[in-house]
Amino acid sequence: MREMCKAMEDLRNESYAEGREEGRESQAKDTAVRMSEKGNSVEEIAEIVGFSTDKVKKWFVTEG
């Protein structure tokens, strides 16, 4: 029983971590789009939001 509770707790913690990461990426993407609209380069945006330039470029392709 104790092992099952531990497994369920680990699964819940993993789900929370995934949700936080998705939220962080969503916010970074929104920020990146606004920065691009202001004329910032992909390299500047990537450095500021903390994601790779490749990732930032993919965001713009999916936005377009």
Side-chain angles (χ1 to χ4, degrees):
M1 183 64 134
R2 179 172 257 150
E3 292 82 21
M4 186 192 303
C5 289
K6 175 70 172 133
M8 290 179 69
E9 183 178 340
D10 289 346
L11 183 59
R12 180 182 54 131
N13 290 340
E14 183 179 319
S15 294
Y16 284 149
E18 289 173 8
R20 282 191 302 271
E21 180 59 27
E22 287 173 9
R24 184 177 96 75
E25 184 170 337
S26 177
Q27 182 63 47
K29 183 177 178 181
D30 291 345
T31 300
V33 169
R34 288 194 309 275
M35 290 178 70
S36 177
E37 290 169 353
K38 297 281 187 187
N40 292 87
S41 71
V42 170
E43 292 77 15
E44 290 172 319
I45 294 168
E47 181 180 344
I48 290 168
V49 300
F51 285 87
S52 70
T53 56
D54 288 338
K55 183 72 150 184
V56 172
K57 287 176 186 176
K58 286 179 185 175
W59 292 339
F60 296 141
V61 169
T62 60
E63 282 293 310

